[in-house]
Amino acid sequence: KAGVTQTPRYLIKTRGQQVTLSCSPISGHRSVSWYQQTPGQGLQFLFEYFSETQRNKGNFPGRFSGRQFSNSRSEMNVSTLELGDSALYLCASSPRRQGHSLNEKLFFGSGTQLSVL
Amino acid sequence: LAKTTQPISMDSYEGQEVNITCSHNNIATNDYITWYQQFPSQGPRFIIQGYKTKVTNEVASLFIPADRKSSTLSLPRVSLSDTAVYYCLVVINNAGNMLTFGGGTRLMVKP
């Protein structure tokens, strides 16, 4: 099976712009979650989508949003970019079934490195 | 405030056993504790997962006390290739379920 694929691998934006990141999960996985990784704050959970619905959410402002399509592919959007949004954004998919643990085994992509100038 | 804490770094030598402890004081009662390994420029990779007591697989063991407020990842006989950052991951029940990572432990294995 192919792994989790994230595109693009690198991205450079300027303050005030918006950005969309893409994630293709492992075939058959219906749960897709997103994470922000920075040297200062470490790995932080953004949100999780399951069957096209956001099921769980971390403590991030509304500028961070996402969606999931019927084929389980997911996109994450960040609007009005700030310098502090520079980070590695990781996507993970899991074989989690509805009603089961949020902490099922996660399969991570290699991430999108976003730089905001 | 719920916190998930780990030592920032650890050093070891090849062939030694390494134990990394994570403290999680507000863990959800009915959820797993999971550990991941991360190399530079890669996403984290699953190592082991457990709910209580002890779990062992081909690469590691996980020890969880009865109160589940901490967990210890044990890596037997580490090698240079085990040099990486190790994260614990738990679910914190704080106005909804939220996946929470520890700050990560940077393990350096020396020859």
PDB file of all heavy atoms in Angstrom, chain A residues 51-87:
ATOM      1  N   SER A  51     -14.965  10.528   7.819  1.00  0.00           N
ATOM      2  CA  SER A  51     -16.134  10.498   6.926  1.00  0.00           C
ATOM      3  C   SER A  51     -16.648  11.904   6.634  1.00  0.00           C
ATOM      4  O   SER A  51     -17.836  12.196   6.821  1.00  0.00           O
ATOM      5  CB  SER A  51     -17.254   9.637   7.535  1.00  0.00           C
ATOM      6  OG  SER A  51     -16.862   8.291   7.580  1.00  0.00           O
ATOM      7  N   GLU A  52     -15.747  12.758   6.229  1.00  0.00           N
ATOM      8  CA  GLU A  52     -16.039  14.114   5.744  1.00  0.00           C
ATOM      9  C   GLU A  52     -16.510  15.085   6.828  1.00  0.00           C
ATOM     10  O   GLU A  52     -16.926  16.210   6.491  1.00  0.00           O
ATOM     11  CB  GLU A  52     -17.069  14.055   4.604  1.00  0.00           C
ATOM     12  CG  GLU A  52     -16.635  13.182   3.432  1.00  0.00           C
ATOM     13  CD  GLU A  52     -17.698  13.078   2.345  1.00  0.00           C
ATOM     14  OE1 GLU A  52     -18.027  14.143   1.756  1.00  0.00           O
ATOM     15  OE2 GLU A  52     -18.199  11.974   2.097  1.00  0.00           O
ATOM     16  N   THR A  53     -16.458  14.688   8.092  1.00  0.00           N
ATOM     17  CA  THR A  53     -16.908  15.558   9.169  1.00  0.00           C
ATOM     18  C   THR A  53     -15.766  15.775  10.156  1.00  0.00           C
ATOM     19  O   THR A  53     -15.042  14.838  10.499  1.00  0.00           O
ATOM     20  CB  THR A  53     -18.102  14.922   9.905  1.00  0.00           C
ATOM     21  OG1 THR A  53     -19.160  14.709   8.971  1.00  0.00           O
ATOM     22  CG2 THR A  53     -18.591  15.825  11.036  1.00  0.00           C
ATOM     23  N   GLN A  54     -15.620  17.010  10.630  1.00  0.00           N
ATOM     24  CA  GLN A  54     -14.611  17.268  11.660  1.00  0.00           C
ATOM     25  C   GLN A  54     -15.127  16.700  12.977  1.00  0.00           C
ATOM     26  O   GLN A  54     -16.177  17.108  13.484  1.00  0.00           O
ATOM     27  CB  GLN A  54     -14.360  18.773  11.813  1.00  0.00           C
ATOM     28  CG  GLN A  54     -13.193  19.083  12.736  1.00  0.00           C
ATOM     29  CD  GLN A  54     -12.970  20.573  12.881  1.00  0.00           C
ATOM     30  OE1 GLN A  54     -13.480  21.214  13.807  1.00  0.00           O
ATOM     31  NE2 GLN A  54     -12.208  21.146  11.968  1.00  0.00           N
ATOM     32  N   ARG A  55     -14.370  15.795  13.569  1.00  0.00           N
ATOM     33  CA  ARG A  55     -14.818  15.078  14.767  1.00  0.00           C
ATOM     34  C   ARG A  55     -14.151  15.585  16.031  1.00  0.00           C
ATOM     35  O   ARG A  55     -14.736  15.525  17.111  1.00  0.00           O
ATOM     36  CB  ARG A  55     -14.505  13.583  14.626  1.00  0.00           C
ATOM     37  CG  ARG A  55     -15.062  12.959  13.367  1.00  0.00           C
ATOM     38  CD  ARG A  55     -16.563  12.773  13.428  1.00  0.00           C
ATOM     39  NE  ARG A  55     -17.092  12.187  12.194  1.00  0.00           N
ATOM     40  CZ  ARG A  55     -18.304  11.691  12.064  1.00  0.00           C
ATOM     41  NH1 ARG A  55     -19.132  11.707  13.088  1.00  0.00           N
ATOM     42  NH2 ARG A  55     -18.689  11.176  10.907  1.00  0.00           N
ATOM     43  N   ASN A  56     -12.914  16.026  15.913  1.00  0.00           N
ATOM     44  CA  ASN A  56     -12.160  16.489  17.072  1.00  0.00           C
ATOM     45  C   ASN A  56     -11.294  17.674  16.654  1.00  0.00           C
ATOM     46  O   ASN A  56     -10.886  17.769  15.495  1.00  0.00           O
ATOM     47  CB  ASN A  56     -11.271  15.377  17.622  1.00  0.00           C
ATOM     48  CG  ASN A  56     -12.067  14.229  18.177  1.00  0.00           C
ATOM     49  OD1 ASN A  56     -12.560  14.270  19.294  1.00  0.00           O
ATOM     50  ND2 ASN A  56     -12.216  13.185  17.377  1.00  0.00           N
ATOM     51  N   LYS A  57     -11.034  18.563  17.629  1.00  0.00           N
ATOM     52  CA  LYS A  57     -10.352  19.805  17.301  1.00  0.00           C
ATOM     53  C   LYS A  57      -9.386  20.192  18.410  1.00  0.00           C
ATOM     54  O   LYS A  57      -9.684  20.008  19.592  1.00  0.00           O
ATOM     55  CB  LYS A  57     -11.405  20.903  17.114  1.00  0.00           C
ATOM     56  CG  LYS A  57     -10.895  22.185  16.529  1.00  0.00           C
ATOM     57  CD  LYS A  57     -12.074  23.135  16.289  1.00  0.00           C
ATOM     58  CE  LYS A  57     -11.631  24.416  15.601  1.00  0.00           C
ATOM     59  NZ  LYS A  57     -10.549  25.118  16.283  1.00  0.00           N
ATOM     60  N   GLY A  58      -8.248  20.732  18.021  1.00  0.00           N
ATOM     61  CA  GLY A  58      -7.284  21.242  18.984  1.00  0.00           C
ATOM     62  C   GLY A  58      -7.545  22.708  19.273  1.00  0.00           C
ATOM     63  O   GLY A  58      -8.579  23.255  18.904  1.00  0.00           O
ATOM     64  N   ASN A  59      -6.582  23.347  19.923  1.00  0.00           N
ATOM     65  CA  ASN A  59      -6.733  24.738  20.339  1.00  0.00           C
ATOM     66  C   ASN A  59      -6.071  25.702  19.364  1.00  0.00           C
ATOM     67  O   ASN A  59      -5.096  26.362  19.699  1.00  0.00           O
ATOM     68  CB  ASN A  59      -6.156  24.931  21.740  1.00  0.00           C
ATOM     69  CG  ASN A  59      -6.942  24.186  22.789  1.00  0.00           C
ATOM     70  OD1 ASN A  59      -8.151  24.053  22.700  1.00  0.00           O
ATOM     71  ND2 ASN A  59      -6.250  23.675  23.795  1.00  0.00           N
ATOM     72  N   PHE A  60      -6.595  25.773  18.177  1.00  0.00           N
ATOM     73  CA  PHE A  60      -6.069  26.692  17.178  1.00  0.00           C
ATOM     74  C   PHE A  60      -7.169  27.661  16.762  1.00  0.00           C
ATOM     75  O   PHE A  60      -8.352  27.334  16.819  1.00  0.00           O
ATOM     76  CB  PHE A  60      -5.559  25.918  15.954  1.00  0.00           C
ATOM     77  CG  PHE A  60      -4.168  25.358  16.141  1.00  0.00           C
ATOM     78  CD1 PHE A  60      -3.965  24.186  16.836  1.00  0.00           C
ATOM     79  CD2 PHE A  60      -3.065  26.022  15.629  1.00  0.00           C
ATOM     80  CE1 PHE A  60      -2.697  23.684  17.035  1.00  0.00           C
ATOM     81  CE2 PHE A  60      -1.789  25.528  15.800  1.00  0.00           C
ATOM     82  CZ  PHE A  60      -1.603  24.359  16.507  1.00  0.00           C
ATOM     83  N   PRO A  61      -6.773  28.868  16.339  1.00  0.00           N
ATOM     84  CA  PRO A  61      -7.790  29.856  15.939  1.00  0.00           C
ATOM     85  C   PRO A  61      -8.518  29.434  14.674  1.00  0.00           C
ATOM     86  O   PRO A  61      -8.084  28.544  13.946  1.00  0.00           O
ATOM     87  CB  PRO A  61      -6.958  31.131  15.705  1.00  0.00           C
ATOM     88  CG  PRO A  61      -5.567  30.660  15.461  1.00  0.00           C
ATOM     89  CD  PRO A  61      -5.402  29.414  16.259  1.00  0.00           C
ATOM     90  N   GLY A  62      -9.615  30.112  14.415  1.00  0.00           N
ATOM     91  CA  GLY A  62     -10.457  29.785  13.281  1.00  0.00           C
ATOM     92  C   GLY A  62      -9.800  29.977  11.927  1.00  0.00           C
ATOM     93  O   GLY A  62     -10.333  29.538  10.906  1.00  0.00           O
ATOM     94  N   ARG A  63      -8.627  30.638  11.914  1.00  0.00           N
ATOM     95  CA  ARG A  63      -7.907  30.800  10.643  1.00  0.00           C
ATOM     96  C   ARG A  63      -7.466  29.437  10.078  1.00  0.00           C
ATOM     97  O   ARG A  63      -7.192  29.318   8.888  1.00  0.00           O
ATOM     98  CB  ARG A  63      -6.651  31.658  10.842  1.00  0.00           C
ATOM     99  CG  ARG A  63      -6.900  33.060  11.306  1.00  0.00           C
ATOM    100  CD  ARG A  63      -5.619  33.870  11.322  1.00  0.00           C
ATOM    101  NE  ARG A  63      -4.608  33.360  12.238  1.00  0.00           N
ATOM    102  CZ  ARG A  63      -3.496  32.741  11.845  1.00  0.00           C
ATOM    103  NH1 ARG A  63      -3.238  32.556  10.569  1.00  0.00           N
ATOM    104  NH2 ARG A  63      -2.615  32.312  12.741  1.00  0.00           N
ATOM    105  N   PHE A  64      -7.402  28.467  10.951  1.00  0.00           N
ATOM    106  CA  PHE A  64      -7.025  27.110  10.551  1.00  0.00           C
ATOM    107  C   PHE A  64      -8.298  26.304  10.329  1.00  0.00           C
ATOM    108  O   PHE A  64      -9.120  26.158  11.240  1.00  0.00           O
ATOM    109  CB  PHE A  64      -6.175  26.445  11.635  1.00  0.00           C
ATOM    110  CG  PHE A  64      -4.829  27.072  11.813  1.00  0.00           C
ATOM    111  CD1 PHE A  64      -4.681  28.202  12.597  1.00  0.00           C
ATOM    112  CD2 PHE A  64      -3.706  26.526  11.213  1.00  0.00           C
ATOM    113  CE1 PHE A  64      -3.432  28.798  12.762  1.00  0.00           C
ATOM    114  CE2 PHE A  64      -2.452  27.105  11.370  1.00  0.00           C
ATOM    115  CZ  PHE A  64      -2.316  28.235  12.152  1.00  0.00           C
ATOM    116  N   SER A  65      -8.453  25.824   9.135  1.00  0.00           N
ATOM    117  CA  SER A  65      -9.653  25.054   8.818  1.00  0.00           C
ATOM    118  C   SER A  65      -9.272  23.889   7.919  1.00  0.00           C
ATOM    119  O   SER A  65      -8.161  23.831   7.389  1.00  0.00           O
ATOM    120  CB  SER A  65     -10.703  25.930   8.144  1.00  0.00           C
ATOM    121  OG  SER A  65     -10.210  26.408   6.906  1.00  0.00           O
ATOM    122  N   GLY A  66     -10.209  23.000   7.747  1.00  0.00           N
ATOM    123  CA  GLY A  66      -9.921  21.859   6.889  1.00  0.00           C
ATOM    124  C   GLY A  66     -11.195  21.303   6.309  1.00  0.00           C
ATOM    125  O   GLY A  66     -12.300  21.782   6.583  1.00  0.00           O
ATOM    126  N   ARG A  67     -11.003  20.317   5.468  1.00  0.00           N
ATOM    127  CA  ARG A  67     -12.144  19.572   4.954  1.00  0.00           C
ATOM    128  C   ARG A  67     -11.671  18.215   4.490  1.00  0.00           C
ATOM    129  O   ARG A  67     -10.476  17.994   4.258  1.00  0.00           O
ATOM    130  CB  ARG A  67     -12.831  20.328   3.827  1.00  0.00           C
ATOM    131  CG  ARG A  67     -11.961  20.630   2.622  1.00  0.00           C
ATOM    132  CD  ARG A  67     -12.794  21.325   1.556  1.00  0.00           C
ATOM    133  NE  ARG A  67     -11.999  21.736   0.415  1.00  0.00           N
ATOM    134  CZ  ARG A  67     -12.535  22.171  -0.726  1.00  0.00           C
ATOM    135  NH1 ARG A  67     -13.843  22.240  -0.865  1.00  0.00           N
ATOM    136  NH2 ARG A  67     -11.762  22.539  -1.726  1.00  0.00           N
ATOM    137  N   GLN A  68     -12.639  17.325   4.345  1.00  0.00           N
ATOM    138  CA  GLN A  68     -12.327  15.989   3.858  1.00  0.00           C
ATOM    139  C   GLN A  68     -13.321  15.637   2.767  1.00  0.00           C
ATOM    140  O   GLN A  68     -14.516  15.925   2.874  1.00  0.00           O
ATOM    141  CB  GLN A  68     -12.399  14.959   4.992  1.00  0.00           C
ATOM    142  CG  GLN A  68     -11.915  13.573   4.581  1.00  0.00           C
ATOM    143  CD  GLN A  68     -12.003  12.567   5.709  1.00  0.00           C
ATOM    144  OE1 GLN A  68     -12.886  12.640   6.563  1.00  0.00           O
ATOM    145  NE2 GLN A  68     -11.087  11.602   5.732  1.00  0.00           N
ATOM    146  N   PHE A  69     -12.831  15.020   1.738  1.00  0.00           N
ATOM    147  CA  PHE A  69     -13.658  14.665   0.591  1.00  0.00           C
ATOM    148  C   PHE A  69     -14.152  13.229   0.723  1.00  0.00           C
ATOM    149  O   PHE A  69     -13.711  12.476   1.591  1.00  0.00           O
ATOM    150  CB  PHE A  69     -12.854  14.860  -0.691  1.00  0.00           C
ATOM    151  CG  PHE A  69     -12.334  16.267  -0.857  1.00  0.00           C
ATOM    152  CD1 PHE A  69     -11.051  16.607  -0.462  1.00  0.00           C
ATOM    153  CD2 PHE A  69     -13.152  17.269  -1.371  1.00  0.00           C
ATOM    154  CE1 PHE A  69     -10.575  17.910  -0.593  1.00  0.00           C
ATOM    155  CE2 PHE A  69     -12.693  18.566  -1.509  1.00  0.00           C
ATOM    156  CZ  PHE A  69     -11.400  18.887  -1.109  1.00  0.00           C
ATOM    157  N   SER A  70     -15.045  12.868  -0.177  1.00  0.00           N
ATOM    158  CA  SER A  70     -15.661  11.525  -0.088  1.00  0.00           C
ATOM    159  C   SER A  70     -14.641  10.408  -0.288  1.00  0.00           C
ATOM    160  O   SER A  70     -14.857   9.280   0.147  1.00  0.00           O
ATOM    161  CB  SER A  70     -16.798  11.398  -1.118  1.00  0.00           C
ATOM    162  OG  SER A  70     -16.299  11.628  -2.415  1.00  0.00           O
ATOM    163  N   ASN A  71     -13.512  10.703  -0.922  1.00  0.00           N
ATOM    164  CA  ASN A  71     -12.475   9.672  -1.097  1.00  0.00           C
ATOM    165  C   ASN A  71     -11.459   9.687   0.052  1.00  0.00           C
ATOM    166  O   ASN A  71     -10.411   9.065  -0.043  1.00  0.00           O
ATOM    167  CB  ASN A  71     -11.753   9.862  -2.435  1.00  0.00           C
ATOM    168  CG  ASN A  71     -11.042  11.202  -2.525  1.00  0.00           C
ATOM    169  OD1 ASN A  71     -11.109  12.017  -1.616  1.00  0.00           O
ATOM    170  ND2 ASN A  71     -10.359  11.435  -3.641  1.00  0.00           N
ATOM    171  N   SER A  72     -11.785  10.413   1.111  1.00  0.00           N
ATOM    172  CA  SER A  72     -10.983  10.558   2.338  1.00  0.00           C
ATOM    173  C   SER A  72      -9.792  11.493   2.196  1.00  0.00           C
ATOM    174  O   SER A  72      -9.157  11.801   3.202  1.00  0.00           O
ATOM    175  CB  SER A  72     -10.494   9.199   2.885  1.00  0.00           C
ATOM    176  OG  SER A  72     -11.590   8.446   3.323  1.00  0.00           O
ATOM    177  N   ARG A  73      -9.498  11.959   1.017  1.00  0.00           N
ATOM    178  CA  ARG A  73      -8.446  12.973   0.877  1.00  0.00           C
ATOM    179  C   ARG A  73      -8.842  14.214   1.668  1.00  0.00           C
ATOM    180  O   ARG A  73     -10.025  14.511   1.814  1.00  0.00           O
ATOM    181  CB  ARG A  73      -8.241  13.317  -0.586  1.00  0.00           C
ATOM    182  CG  ARG A  73      -6.993  14.146  -0.875  1.00  0.00           C
ATOM    183  CD  ARG A  73      -6.831  14.380  -2.385  1.00  0.00           C
ATOM    184  NE  ARG A  73      -7.834  15.304  -2.902  1.00  0.00           N
ATOM    185  CZ  ARG A  73      -7.759  16.622  -2.867  1.00  0.00           C
ATOM    186  NH1 ARG A  73      -6.724  17.213  -2.292  1.00  0.00           N
ATOM    187  NH2 ARG A  73      -8.716  17.368  -3.385  1.00  0.00           N
ATOM    188  N   SER A  74      -7.837  14.891   2.184  1.00  0.00           N
ATOM    189  CA  SER A  74      -8.140  16.042   3.039  1.00  0.00           C
ATOM    190  C   SER A  74      -7.302  17.239   2.628  1.00  0.00           C
ATOM    191  O   SER A  74      -6.194  17.101   2.074  1.00  0.00           O
ATOM    192  CB  SER A  74      -7.860  15.683   4.501  1.00  0.00           C
ATOM    193  OG  SER A  74      -8.084  16.781   5.360  1.00  0.00           O
ATOM    194  N   GLU A  75      -7.828  18.397   2.881  1.00  0.00           N
ATOM    195  CA  GLU A  75      -7.098  19.644   2.693  1.00  0.00           C
ATOM    196  C   GLU A  75      -7.156  20.446   3.986  1.00  0.00           C
ATOM    197  O   GLU A  75      -8.138  20.388   4.727  1.00  0.00           O
ATOM    198  CB  GLU A  75      -7.711  20.477   1.568  1.00  0.00           C
ATOM    199  CG  GLU A  75      -7.486  19.902   0.188  1.00  0.00           C
ATOM    200  CD  GLU A  75      -8.074  20.782  -0.911  1.00  0.00           C
ATOM    201  OE1 GLU A  75      -8.882  21.684  -0.612  1.00  0.00           O
ATOM    202  OE2 GLU A  75      -7.732  20.541  -2.084  1.00  0.00           O
ATOM    203  N   MET A  76      -6.089  21.193   4.219  1.00  0.00           N
ATOM    204  CA  MET A  76      -6.046  22.107   5.351  1.00  0.00           C
ATOM    205  C   MET A  76      -5.792  23.509   4.801  1.00  0.00           C
ATOM    206  O   MET A  76      -4.949  23.676   3.911  1.00  0.00           O
ATOM    207  CB  MET A  76      -4.927  21.727   6.307  1.00  0.00           C
ATOM    208  CG  MET A  76      -4.981  22.489   7.608  1.00  0.00           C
ATOM    209  SD  MET A  76      -3.495  22.335   8.589  1.00  0.00           S
ATOM    210  CE  MET A  76      -2.546  23.647   7.923  1.00  0.00           C
ATOM    211  N   ASN A  77      -6.514  24.471   5.318  1.00  0.00           N
ATOM    212  CA  ASN A  77      -6.384  25.852   4.858  1.00  0.00           C
ATOM    213  C   ASN A  77      -5.994  26.749   6.023  1.00  0.00           C
ATOM    214  O   ASN A  77      -6.535  26.602   7.130  1.00  0.00           O
ATOM    215  CB  ASN A  77      -7.706  26.315   4.238  1.00  0.00           C
ATOM    216  CG  ASN A  77      -7.604  27.708   3.651  1.00  0.00           C
ATOM    217  OD1 ASN A  77      -7.742  28.698   4.357  1.00  0.00           O
ATOM    218  ND2 ASN A  77      -7.331  27.779   2.367  1.00  0.00           N
ATOM    219  N   VAL A  78      -5.074  27.632   5.774  1.00  0.00           N
ATOM    220  CA  VAL A  78      -4.734  28.655   6.765  1.00  0.00           C
ATOM    221  C   VAL A  78      -4.924  30.005   6.088  1.00  0.00           C
ATOM    222  O   VAL A  78      -4.312  30.283   5.044  1.00  0.00           O
ATOM    223  CB  VAL A  78      -3.290  28.538   7.279  1.00  0.00           C
ATOM    224  CG1 VAL A  78      -3.064  29.520   8.440  1.00  0.00           C
ATOM    225  CG2 VAL A  78      -2.974  27.122   7.713  1.00  0.00           C
ATOM    226  N   SER A  79      -5.768  30.829   6.654  1.00  0.00           N
ATOM    227  CA  SER A  79      -6.028  32.150   6.069  1.00  0.00           C
ATOM    228  C   SER A  79      -5.240  33.214   6.833  1.00  0.00           C
ATOM    229  O   SER A  79      -4.811  32.993   7.973  1.00  0.00           O
ATOM    230  CB  SER A  79      -7.520  32.453   6.110  1.00  0.00           C
ATOM    231  OG  SER A  79      -7.970  32.508   7.450  1.00  0.00           O
ATOM    232  N   THR A  80      -5.066  34.345   6.209  1.00  0.00           N
ATOM    233  CA  THR A  80      -4.390  35.490   6.825  1.00  0.00           C
ATOM    234  C   THR A  80      -3.132  35.053   7.568  1.00  0.00           C
ATOM    235  O   THR A  80      -3.015  35.169   8.802  1.00  0.00           O
ATOM    236  CB  THR A  80      -5.344  36.237   7.790  1.00  0.00           C
ATOM    237  OG1 THR A  80      -6.654  36.308   7.242  1.00  0.00           O
ATOM    238  CG2 THR A  80      -4.842  37.658   8.024  1.00  0.00           C
ATOM    239  N   LEU A  81      -2.202  34.526   6.820  1.00  0.00           N
ATOM    240  CA  LEU A  81      -0.993  33.950   7.404  1.00  0.00           C
ATOM    241  C   LEU A  81      -0.228  34.944   8.272  1.00  0.00           C
ATOM    242  O   LEU A  81      -0.119  36.129   7.949  1.00  0.00           O
ATOM    243  CB  LEU A  81      -0.079  33.433   6.296  1.00  0.00           C
ATOM    244  CG  LEU A  81      -0.496  32.097   5.675  1.00  0.00           C
ATOM    245  CD1 LEU A  81       0.261  31.857   4.369  1.00  0.00           C
ATOM    246  CD2 LEU A  81      -0.267  30.950   6.648  1.00  0.00           C
ATOM    247  N   GLU A  82       0.306  34.417   9.377  1.00  0.00           N
ATOM    248  CA  GLU A  82       1.163  35.189  10.279  1.00  0.00           C
ATOM    249  C   GLU A  82       2.546  34.538  10.293  1.00  0.00           C
ATOM    250  O   GLU A  82       2.697  33.357   9.965  1.00  0.00           O
ATOM    251  CB  GLU A  82       0.557  35.192  11.685  1.00  0.00           C
ATOM    252  CG  GLU A  82      -0.832  35.777  11.752  1.00  0.00           C
ATOM    253  CD  GLU A  82      -1.441  35.677  13.145  1.00  0.00           C
ATOM    254  OE1 GLU A  82      -0.773  35.137  14.053  1.00  0.00           O
ATOM    255  OE2 GLU A  82      -2.592  36.138  13.317  1.00  0.00           O
ATOM    256  N   LEU A  83       3.546  35.324  10.716  1.00  0.00           N
ATOM    257  CA  LEU A  83       4.909  34.794  10.762  1.00  0.00           C
ATOM    258  C   LEU A  83       4.977  33.532  11.621  1.00  0.00           C
ATOM    259  O   LEU A  83       5.694  32.586  11.309  1.00  0.00           O
ATOM    260  CB  LEU A  83       5.880  35.840  11.300  1.00  0.00           C
ATOM    261  CG  LEU A  83       6.060  37.097  10.452  1.00  0.00           C
ATOM    262  CD1 LEU A  83       7.018  38.062  11.146  1.00  0.00           C
ATOM    263  CD2 LEU A  83       6.568  36.753   9.060  1.00  0.00           C
ATOM    264  N   GLY A  84       4.196  33.520  12.693  1.00  0.00           N
ATOM    265  CA  GLY A  84       4.203  32.387  13.616  1.00  0.00           C
ATOM    266  C   GLY A  84       3.582  31.122  13.060  1.00  0.00           C
ATOM    267  O   GLY A  84       3.641  30.074  13.703  1.00  0.00           O
ATOM    268  N   ASP A  85       3.005  31.206  11.872  1.00  0.00           N
ATOM    269  CA  ASP A  85       2.434  30.003  11.243  1.00  0.00           C
ATOM    270  C   ASP A  85       3.505  29.195  10.520  1.00  0.00           C
ATOM    271  O   ASP A  85       3.216  28.105  10.025  1.00  0.00           O
ATOM    272  CB  ASP A  85       1.339  30.394  10.252  1.00  0.00           C
ATOM    273  CG  ASP A  85       0.153  31.072  10.924  1.00  0.00           C
ATOM    274  OD1 ASP A  85      -0.083  30.789  12.119  1.00  0.00           O
ATOM    275  OD2 ASP A  85      -0.520  31.878  10.254  1.00  0.00           O
ATOM    276  N   SER A  86       4.717  29.723  10.438  1.00  0.00           N
ATOM    277  CA  SER A  86       5.813  28.970   9.835  1.00  0.00           C
ATOM    278  C   SER A  86       6.039  27.693  10.637  1.00  0.00           C
ATOM    279  O   SER A  86       6.276  27.743  11.851  1.00  0.00           O
ATOM    280  CB  SER A  86       7.101  29.801   9.834  1.00  0.00           C
ATOM    281  OG  SER A  86       6.976  30.917   9.001  1.00  0.00           O
ATOM    282  N   ALA A  87       5.945  26.571   9.975  1.00  0.00           N
ATOM    283  CA  ALA A  87       5.997  25.290  10.683  1.00  0.00           C
ATOM    284  C   ALA A  87       6.008  24.154   9.681  1.00  0.00           C
ATOM    285  O   ALA A  87       5.795  24.359   8.485  1.00  0.00           O
ATOM    286  CB  ALA A  87       4.787  25.136  11.603  1.00  0.00           C
TER     287      ALA A  87
END
